[in-house]
């Protein structure tokens, strides 16, 4: 058996294989629920009900999806140019740190929120810029450097929360001082946690799609991602494109930290992110690196997590089934991507 490239995959092939991957994921999840001693259909129904079965649940799913849209976009942008950014978690925390530094009184006035967002994006961009410079100048594998930056950033955040940024009124808890009132993103619905960071995430998805499809940079990113050697031969400055891609990707991931601190938490803690940066990889792959598809992919992943919490309480099934569901969905989607581009041939 061998893999044979498919020159021009049909629209049916592009649509049916990802759909089959999702169906296979549901089948595996049903099997896991049965092994756990629960009714598979009832378990899946409880996940759906827990995610969108009420106004509170639906808004909570949107709330959980907000940082995943940002990190999913960051990964999708980078992967499109074959820049393997595994460090969205570090870039998220970089954005959160800057948000706290500016939002606790360093700046004020009506422009505090846009200034915080721009500064957060700059911080995230700088964090990813280092690994990209190492890649372009010295050939260092960015998978290793971006991954290690995640651990470095967590240690740095821990130092800040036990030292310079520790809230003196926090009764010893490792957290930063709260943001000023004018530095908080307003709520979309009064009394609930959903904030305008979600709206910013939707705007970011559209903006990234426009950049990729309607600008010279987007064309260069796609060209470099398809074949860097051919792009360089055609006169495209590959290293410059990778640097620009890194700035955009790191900035998008940092907006997740900005939205979580300014919109939801109000202060910085070490557990600000339960792995949003890593989950963004799953979101981007489920979206097939399409910026607009990142939004429904993030909603799906967020719905699984929110619904699994409710399902676990109602059915007594461990919430780890959500992690298994997402892991299998990623594996099946990667397989679907492979089979879109290649067909299996015997002989």
């Amino acid at each position: 058996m061998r893999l044979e490239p498919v020159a021009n995959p049909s629209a049916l092939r592009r649509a049916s294989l990802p759909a089959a991957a999702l169906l296979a994921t549901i089948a595996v999840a049903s099997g896991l629920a049965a092994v756990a001693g629960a009714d598979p259909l009832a378990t899946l129904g409880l996940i759906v009900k827990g995610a969108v079965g009420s106004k509170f649940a639906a808004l909570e799913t949107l709330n959980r999806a907000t940082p995943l849209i940002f990190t999913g976009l960051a990964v999708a942008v980078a992967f499109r140019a074959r820049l393997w950014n595994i460090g969205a978690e570090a870039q998220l925390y970089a954005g959160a740190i800057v948000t706290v530094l500016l939002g606790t009184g360093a700046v004020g006035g009506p422009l505090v929120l846009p200034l915080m967002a721009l500064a957060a994006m700059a911080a995230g961009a700088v964090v990813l810029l280092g690994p990209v410079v190492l890649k372009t100048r010295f050939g260092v594998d960015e998978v290793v450097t971006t991954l290690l930056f995640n651990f470095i950033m967590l240690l740095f955040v821990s130092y800040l929360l036990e030292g310079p940024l520790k809230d003196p009124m926090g009764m010893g808890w490792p957290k930063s001082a709260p943001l000023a009132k004018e530095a908080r993103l307003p709520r979309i619905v009064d009394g609930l946690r959903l904030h305008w960071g979600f709206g910013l995430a939707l705007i970011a998805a559209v903006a990234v799609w426009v950049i990729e499809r309607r600008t010279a940079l987007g064309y260069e990113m796609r060209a470099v991602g398809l074949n860097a050697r051919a792009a360089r031969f055609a006169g495209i400055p590959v290293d410059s494109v990778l640097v620009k891609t890194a700035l955009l990707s790191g900035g998008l991931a940092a907006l997740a930290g900005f939205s979580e601190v300014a919109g939801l938490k109000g202060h910085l803690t070490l557990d600000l992110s339960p792995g949003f940066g890593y989950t963004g990889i799953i979101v981007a792959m489920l979206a097939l690196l399409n910026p607009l598809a990142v939004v429904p992919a993030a909603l799906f992943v967020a719905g699984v997590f929110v619904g699994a919490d409710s399902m676990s309480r109602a059915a007594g099934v461990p919430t780890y089934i959500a992690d298994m569901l997402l892991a299998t969905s990623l594996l099946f989607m990667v397989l679907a991507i492979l089979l879109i581009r290649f067909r299996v041939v015997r002989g």
Side-chain angles (χ1 to χ4, degrees), residues 64 67-68 71-72 88-89 92 256 260 272-281:
R64 182 73 69 92
L68 295 180
T71 56
E89 193 84 350
L92 180 154
E260 284 297 284
L272 176 72
S273 168
F276 290 137
Y278 299 109
T279 309
I281 299 173

Side-chain angles (χ1 to χ4, degrees), residues 33-221:
V35 170
D39 182 352
L41 292 179
T43 300
L44 293 175
L46 287 172
I47 292 177
V48 174
K49 182 179 179 181
V52 295
S54 66
K55 179 181 178 181
F56 175 83
L59 292 179
E60 192 62 24
T61 297
L62 296 179
N63 197 53
R64 182 73 69 92
T66 299
L68 295 180
I69 294 174
F70 286 122
T71 56
L73 288 172
V75 173
V77 165
F79 281 21
R80 178 67 71 186
R82 293 209 176 190
L83 175 64
W84 311 117
N85 178 16
I86 315 297
E89 193 84 350
Q91 296 137 36
L92 180 154
Y93 274 103
I97 292 171
V98 172
T99 299
V100 168
L101 289 174
L102 297 182
T104 52
V107 297
L111 296 179
V112 59
L113 285 172
L115 287 175
M116 286 164 53
L118 290 174
M121 292 185 69
V126 169
V127 169
L128 185 53
L129 186 61
V132 172
V133 171
L134 291 175
K135 172 186 173 68
T136 55
R137 293 295 179 90
F138 306 105
V140 179
D141 188 349
E142 74 274 20
V143 172
V144 176
T145 52
T146 54
L147 178 62
L148 292 178
F149 256 105
N150 292 333
F151 301 100
I152 294 172
M153 186 59 69
L154 281 175
L155 291 173
F156 182 58
V157 171
S158 180
Y159 157 73
L160 291 176
L161 295 181
E162 293 290 352
L165 293 185
K166 188 172 184 178
D167 183 7
M169 304 299 293
M171 302 181 66
W173 290 99
K175 64 177 183 177
S176 71
L179 266 63
K181 184 177 180 180
E182 62 271 16
R184 298 293 303 273
L185 285 168
R187 296 288 194 264
I188 294 178
V189 179
D190 290 337
L192 295 174
R193 302 203 306 163
L194 184 64
H195 52 85
W196 279 105
F198 179 72
L200 180 60
L202 297 181
I203 294 172
V206 175
V208 172
W209 181 86
V210 171
I211 290 173
E212 285 196 356
R213 298 297 175 181
R214 297 289 186 268
T215 68
L217 175 60
Y219 171 80
E220 292 173 341
M221 288 165 54

Side-chain angles (χ1 to χ4, degrees), residues 273-332:
S273 168
F276 290 137
Y278 299 109
T279 309
I281 299 173
I282 299 177
V283 171
M285 297 304 294
L286 290 177
L288 302 180
L289 307 185
N290 185 315
L292 296 182
V294 162
V295 175
L299 291 172
F300 168 74
V301 172
V304 169
F305 280 126
V306 174
D309 291 338
S310 175
M311 174 272 300
S312 178
R313 295 189 296 269
V317 177
T319 57
Y320 294 114
I321 193 173
D323 298 322
M324 290 294 296
L325 197 157
L326 294 177
T328 53
S329 68
L330 176 60
L331 291 175
F332 284 132

